[in-house]
């Protein structure tokens, strides 16, 4: 009897697999340090194929489950890109979970496992023509869309909202009152932060380290944000060095100040980009437990940019990406058998 499901989530550097009971109870997770960056570097996806196969085999072995007991495998994230396993065209916003379920592509990859895998597509903004003169409204995502639908199942407000997902590439996703994903906006804030911390003159001032959750300093984050509002990102960043050398500010406080600067850059994009449209009546759902999530939440509340701000902390070991992929795969199952 096929009683189990598997979800796979592949990002730039890591792949995770979660085993589910058919009733929606997550049983365990395995991860492997293989992602689409390996494909881009190697020029082929063999390393990714091997990583996904070994990750699933380890997960099944740990729980003494065979493939003959698995009813469905669903994959999301960068695994559906041109540097993943199977390239699936983006769906065009606005979309809901059913739209993604219907557009998902089922492919049998015998080198990975004996069962077909359901590849859930990413989402792109609805822009009729992208040119050198008209490009800024376009944006894309792969993986964040399933996180959004998982989040809406838990925090759905029944009103328009913006979901904020900090990371290497921070995403802002707008949702309408009916739960349809309307558009997204991406910034490079995480990558910029990493470069500044490790590869610029500010490295010494911030101790060459990111801010851990327990090191979060709300006042310094707000100070960095307000400095960037007044004099721009470049000058505010250099002010981190001034604070370190002349004001005796320690590395952790300086790093929090730097975080605030990058957050100002994010929020400026959110309020001014043509990729998404927001207004003050919306609810903001900020995903994550880290310092960057806390800072964005605090700034949005302090500046009263949205009517309500909710910090959506992780619940248990199962990531939102797995929860969302499982939910969309269930919708696909209903579509097939209804």
């Amino acid at each position: 009897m096929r009683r189990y499901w598997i979800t796979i989530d592949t990002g730039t550097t890591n792949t995770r697999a979660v085993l589910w009971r058919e009733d929606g109870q997550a049983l365990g997770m395995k991860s492997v340090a293989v992602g689409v960056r390996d494909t881009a570097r190697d020029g082929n996806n063999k390393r990714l194929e091997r990583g996904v196969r070994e990750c699933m085999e380890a997960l099944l072995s740990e729980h003494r489950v065979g493939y003959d007991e698995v009813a469905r495998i669903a994959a999301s994230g960068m695994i559906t890109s041109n540097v993943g396993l199977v390239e699936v065209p983006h769906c065009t916003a606005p979309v809901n979970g059913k739209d993604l379920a219907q557009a998902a592509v089922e492919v049998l990859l015998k080198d990975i496992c004996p069962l077909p895998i359901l590849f859930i597509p990413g989402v792109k903004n609805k822009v009729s023509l992208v040119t050198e003169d008209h490009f800024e409204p376009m944006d894309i995502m792969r993986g964040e869309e399933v996180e959004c639908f998982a989040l809406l199942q838990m925090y759905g407000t029944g009103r328009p909202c913006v979901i904020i997902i900090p990371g290497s590439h921070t995403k802002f996703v707008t949702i309408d009152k009916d739960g349809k994903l309307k558009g997204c906006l991406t910034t490079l804030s995480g990558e910029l932060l990493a470069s500044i911390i490790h590869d610029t003159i500010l490295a010494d001032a911030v101790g060459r380290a990111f801010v851990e959750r327990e090191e979060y300093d709300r006042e310094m984050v707000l100070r960095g944000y307000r400095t960037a509002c007044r004099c721009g990102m470049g000058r505010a960043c250099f002010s981190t060095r001034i604070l370190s050398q002349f004001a005796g500010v320690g590395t952790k406080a300086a790093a929090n100040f730097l975080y605030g600067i990058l957050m100002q850059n994010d929020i400026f994009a959110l309020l001014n980009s043509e990729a998404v449209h927001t207004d003050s009546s919306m609810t903001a759902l900020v995903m994550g437990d880290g310092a960057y999530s806390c800072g964005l939440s605090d700034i949005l509340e302090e500046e009263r940019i949205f009517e309500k701000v909710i910090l959506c902390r992780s619940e248990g070991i199962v990531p939102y990406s797995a929860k969302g992929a499982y939910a969309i795969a269930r919708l696909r199952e209903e579509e097939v058998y209804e």
Side-chain angles (χ1 to χ4, degrees):
M1 182 179 178
R2 296 184 182 273
R3 298 177 296 139
Y4 302 95
W5 290 42
I6 298 173
T7 56
I8 306 164
D9 166 36
T10 294
T12 304
T13 57
N14 292 286
T15 293
R16 297 175 293 194
V18 175
L19 182 68
W20 302 81
R21 279 205 317 243
E22 206 168 20
D23 62 1
Q25 176 67 43
L27 299 176
M29 180 174 71
K30 287 289 184 183
S31 63
V32 60
V34 177
V36 296
R37 184 170 64 181
D38 297 288
T39 300
R41 183 179 58 232
D42 297 344
N44 63 73
N45 63 9
K46 297 303 179 185
R47 194 191 303 255
L48 180 58
E49 283 185 351
R50 185 169 63 252
V52 171
R53 182 180 66 246
E54 292 174 354
C55 192
M56 286 199 292
E57 287 175 352
L59 181 67
L60 292 173
S61 175
E62 180 176 301
H63 293 274
R64 298 180 181 179
V65 173
Y67 275 114
D68 60 334
E69 298 176 272
V70 176
R72 170 73 77 186
I73 303 173
S76 64
M78 290 299 290
I79 199 169
T80 69
S81 72
N82 64 322
V83 287
L85 293 184
V86 173
E87 185 175 8
V88 182
H90 292 90
C91 286
T92 301
V95 296
N96 59 20
K98 273 195 172 183
D99 297 324
L100 291 178
Q102 290 170 356
V105 175
E106 200 165 34
V107 180
L108 176 61
L109 301 173
K110 293 182 179 179
D111 290 339
I112 296 178
C113 70
L115 299 177
I117 299 173
L118 185 70
F119 291 91
I120 300 170
V123 177
K124 66 179 180 179
N125 287 359
K126 186 176 182 179
V127 180
S128 57
L129 183 64
V130 179
T131 69
E132 291 182 6
D133 298 317
H134 184 69
F135 57 87
E136 201 277 322
M138 176 53 81
D139 206 271
I140 54 177
M141 69 175 100
R142 287 194 188 271
E144 291 85 3
E145 68 290 328
V146 294
E147 292 180 295
C148 288
F149 288 118
L151 208 64
L152 287 173
Q153 285 188 326
M154 301 174 68
Y155 296 93
T157 60
R159 59 187 300 174
C161 64
V162 55
I163 294 177
I164 303 172
I165 309 173
S168 297
H169 302 156
T170 294
K171 296 282 184 182
F172 298 86
V173 185
T174 50
I175 312 290
D176 69 16
K177 63 182 178 60
D178 298 317
K180 278 203 168 188
L181 191 159
K182 292 185 66 179
C184 62
L185 161 70
T186 309
T187 76
L188 283 177
S189 54
E191 286 200 79
L192 287 172
L193 187 62
S195 288
I196 293 169
I197 286 173
H198 297 296
D199 302 316
T200 72
I201 197 172
L202 302 184
D204 182 64
V206 299
R208 294 180 172 82
F210 293 102
V211 178
E212 299 297 330
R213 174 65 183 89
E214 60 273 14
E215 299 166 339
Y216 175 68
D217 184 334
R218 181 178 183 275
E219 292 309 311
M220 288 305 293
V221 166
L222 289 171
R223 186 168 294 164
Y225 169 82
R226 289 167 181 152
T227 302
C229 285
R230 286 197 309 274
C231 55
M233 179 179 172
R235 172 58 185 168
C237 282
F238 192 79
S239 296
T240 307
R241 181 168 169 81
I242 300 298
L243 285 170
S244 173
Q245 293 215 336
F246 295 97
V249 170
T251 57
K252 294 307 176 186
N256 275 275
F257 180 84
L258 179 62
Y259 269 46
I261 296 168
L262 271 294
M263 291 171 197
Q264 187 277 333
N265 207 43
D266 276 349
I267 292 171
F268 181 86
L270 175 63
L271 299 179
N272 291 279
S273 171
E274 296 179 67
V276 294
H277 302 284
T278 64
D279 63 67
S280 59
S281 68
M282 299 174 78
T283 294
L285 303 176
V286 185
M287 184 185 296
D289 302 306
Y292 207 91
S293 297
C294 293
L296 282 172
S297 178
D298 283 343
I299 291 170
L300 292 173
E301 284 191 339
E302 182 78 11
E303 298 295 292
R304 299 182 179 178
I305 293 172
F306 297 111
E307 186 172 299
K308 188 175 183 180
V309 180
I310 301 173
L311 183 60
C312 307
R313 299 188 183 279
S314 300
E315 296 190 5
I317 64 167
V318 181
Y320 285 117
S321 57
K323 294 175 182 176
Y326 177 83
I328 290 169
R330 295 297 310 188
L331 290 173
R332 171 67 170 233
E333 198 80 358
E334 293 169 10
E335 181 76 17
V336 170
Y337 293 108
E338 70 178 5

